[in-house]
Amino acid sequence: METRDVVVVGGGLVGSAVAYGLARQGLKVALLDEGDQVFRASRGNFGLVWVQSKGEGKHDYARWSLQSAHLWPSLAEMLMQDAGVDVQLQQRGGLHICLSEKELVDRQARLATIQQGVGDDYTFQVLDLPQAREFIPGLGPDVAGATYTPMDGHANPLKLLRALNASCQVRGVSIVRGAAVTDIRREGGGFRIRTAAGDWQSDRVVLAAGLANRKLGAMVGMDVQVGPNRGQVLITERTRPVLDYPTNYIRQTDEGTIQIGDSQEDVGYDDNVTVPVLAAVAARAVRCIPALGQLRLVRTWAALRVLSPDKFPIYQESEAMPGAYVVTGHSGVTLAAQHAITLSPWLAGGERPAAIDGFRADRFPPSSEIKTMGADDAH
């Protein structure tokens, strides 16, 4: 049986960022990854480092996202120094394209409400079509306008995952594939984590396994209410640079392809693509930028977002089994800097950041599907 200071369960963007941050704290860390056969949101991520519109109904989330965007250049530099991987971070700002005057007016009202709650650091502009075309010249006549914020940007999510994994290894993290967790229990003042690839012992355990956190949380006495939401994505052939700014719906990757998609579907654990949804996604994209209709599509995919009932993250230490934590949420790219830099001291045993007080797991009514276990039951 292997022993580490901390075991992190989940090898996607969230788990890898957490493991990297803990290793930078000087801890001996194991990162347990079930494998690519599971639902892995990290490999379907759109890649936005996005702030505008996040936090409606919960301004703490807008602040949390904004702070992460500010920290992102530091994270990108850390990863470059450790792994030599450029994650292609660009933070020139971003646009949300609106296809009707009503959509534009409603959007302005939403952002104004968030700005009022967050403060002057949350800045945005409302652009009519001629103004929006100064940012994206190819916008079509169906576009009513856009909102722009300097807070937004994007990165390459696959390069980010690669950089985090490589940096973890540089920092001494043991990355174990095929390690599906079957049991977590108290043992000798710490935890024993049983997996398909052997057992591990640690002082602390962090659950960062996305949709699997619901099942894993019950093992340490936590009611982690997360569920799936499907998004489908289209990728075009490579083309010359045509988009200097990412949008909520369309962005050009550093490799030259155009990535399109923003579907949100409650279809359970179904990550198949469907022609009607893809057709609607493509039709909206062509209305936004008509020239996209001349490009060939080269691939599509679907992935499942990890959403709580209110769609905000969950950060919680188990009251029944202190030393066990859950870190989960759907913004694995945007919040990567917070997960690696801000959360790691808390997960290492330090003080809980005040900024995450609104993201406790117990903010939701108890789930009928989860039996809350006491410390004596969880073994």
Side-chain angles (χ1 to χ4, degrees):
M1 181 167 59
E2 299 278 355
T3 300
R4 295 293 186 274
D5 296 322
V6 187
V7 166
V8 179
V9 182
L13 285 172
V14 175
S16 297
V18 165
Y20 178 54
L22 288 167
R24 288 184 62 90
Q25 294 287 310
L27 299 177
K28 294 180 179 179
V29 182
L31 179 62
L32 308 183
D33 181 26
E34 186 169 351
D36 286 336
Q37 75 277 10
V38 299
F39 296 110
R40 191 186 290 284
S42 299
R43 297 194 186 279
N45 198 292
F46 202 70
L48 297 178
V49 180
W50 209 248
V51 178
Q52 67 165 301
S53 77
K54 290 191 174 182
E56 185 178 18
K58 198 178 192 72
H59 297 151
D60 285 348
Y61 186 54
R63 296 187 190 94
W64 186 242
S65 300
L66 178 59
Q67 290 164 4
S68 197
H70 290 329
L71 287 171
W72 242 100
S74 296
L75 175 63
E77 179 61 27
M78 287 158 48
L79 294 172
M80 176 62 78
Q81 290 178 357
D82 279 344
V85 178
D86 184 354
V87 299
Q88 296 296 317
L89 174 67
Q90 295 183 16
Q91 289 182 299
R92 303 188 189 106
L95 289 86
H96 181 108
I97 301 171
C98 298
L99 290 174
S100 71
E101 288 295 336
K102 182 181 185 304
E103 187 179 342
L104 187 61
V105 169
D106 289 348
R107 177 122 188 117
Q108 180 178 6
R110 289 175 60 189
L111 296 184
T113 299
I114 299 172
Q115 183 185 60
Q116 185 176 11
V118 174
D120 293 339
D121 287 344
Y122 190 97
T123 60
F124 70 94
Q125 299 175 43
V126 179
L127 311 174
D128 60 21
L129 179 54
Q131 291 170 326
R133 281 177 170 163
E134 294 179 12
F135 291 85
I136 303 176
L139 291 175
D142 288 349
V143 174
T147 55
Y148 165 80
T149 87
M151 306 177 288
D152 297 322
H154 59 151
N156 186 313
L158 295 182
K159 291 179 180 177
L160 172 60
L161 186 58
R162 176 188 166 202
L164 285 168
N165 275 255
S167 297
C168 279
Q169 291 175 308
V170 167
R171 293 279 173 172
V173 176
S174 300
I175 301 177
V176 186
R177 311 296 183 188
V181 172
T182 58
D183 186 47
I184 304 172
R185 63 180 61 192
R186 279 286 194 192
E187 187 172 283
F191 296 90
R192 183 182 182 124
I193 300 99
R194 291 181 173 173
T195 84
D199 290 4
W200 294 78
Q201 190 171 42
S202 64
D203 296 328
R204 299 178 181 277
V205 60
V206 181
L207 307 180
L211 293 169
N213 281 335
R214 188 168 197 130
K215 176 185 70 176
L216 295 169
M219 297 179 186
V220 295
M222 282 194 284
D223 183 5
V224 183
Q225 298 183 42
V226 291
N229 178 274
R230 186 172 69 188
Q232 300 188 44
V233 173
L234 296 162
I235 301 292
T236 74
E237 62 186 321
R238 288 178 173 83
T239 187
R240 62 181 178 81
V242 293
L243 278 174
D244 290 332
Y245 298 87
T247 79
N248 59 305
Y249 200 73
I250 307 161
R251 76 179 190 98
Q252 187 163 25
T253 72
D254 58 288
E255 297 164 341
T257 60
I258 305 293
Q259 188 171 359
I260 306 165
D262 189 32
S263 69
Q264 298 193 27
E265 307 164 74
D266 293 322
V267 293
Y269 290 87
D270 179 356
D271 64 350
N272 291 302
V273 296
T274 60
V275 172
V277 171
L278 292 175
V281 168
R284 180 180 171 90
V286 172
R287 287 183 67 196
C288 292
I289 304 176
L292 294 180
Q294 305 303 312
L295 296 176
R296 291 176 296 179
L297 297 174
V298 295
R299 60 186 175 275
T300 67
W301 68 73
L304 301 181
R305 301 177 182 90
V306 182
L307 294 183
S308 68
D310 62 8
K311 300 184 180 181
F312 301 121
I314 297 174
Y315 306 125
Q316 179 78 53
E317 181 178 10
S318 173
E319 294 182 359
M321 298 175 67
Y325 302 81
V326 65
V327 175
T328 191
H330 74 281
S331 295
V333 173
T334 298
L335 297 180
Q338 293 283 42
H339 294 159
I341 297 171
T342 307
L343 288 190
S344 53
W346 169 56
L347 299 171
E351 185 176 352
R352 179 184 173 94
I356 64 171
D357 282 347
F359 305 123
R360 294 174 58 90
D362 55 12
R363 68 183 185 269
F364 307 116
S367 169
S368 59
E369 298 180 18
I370 302 294
K371 176 181 180 292
T372 302
M373 296 180 291
D376 293 337
D377 297 320
H379 55 70

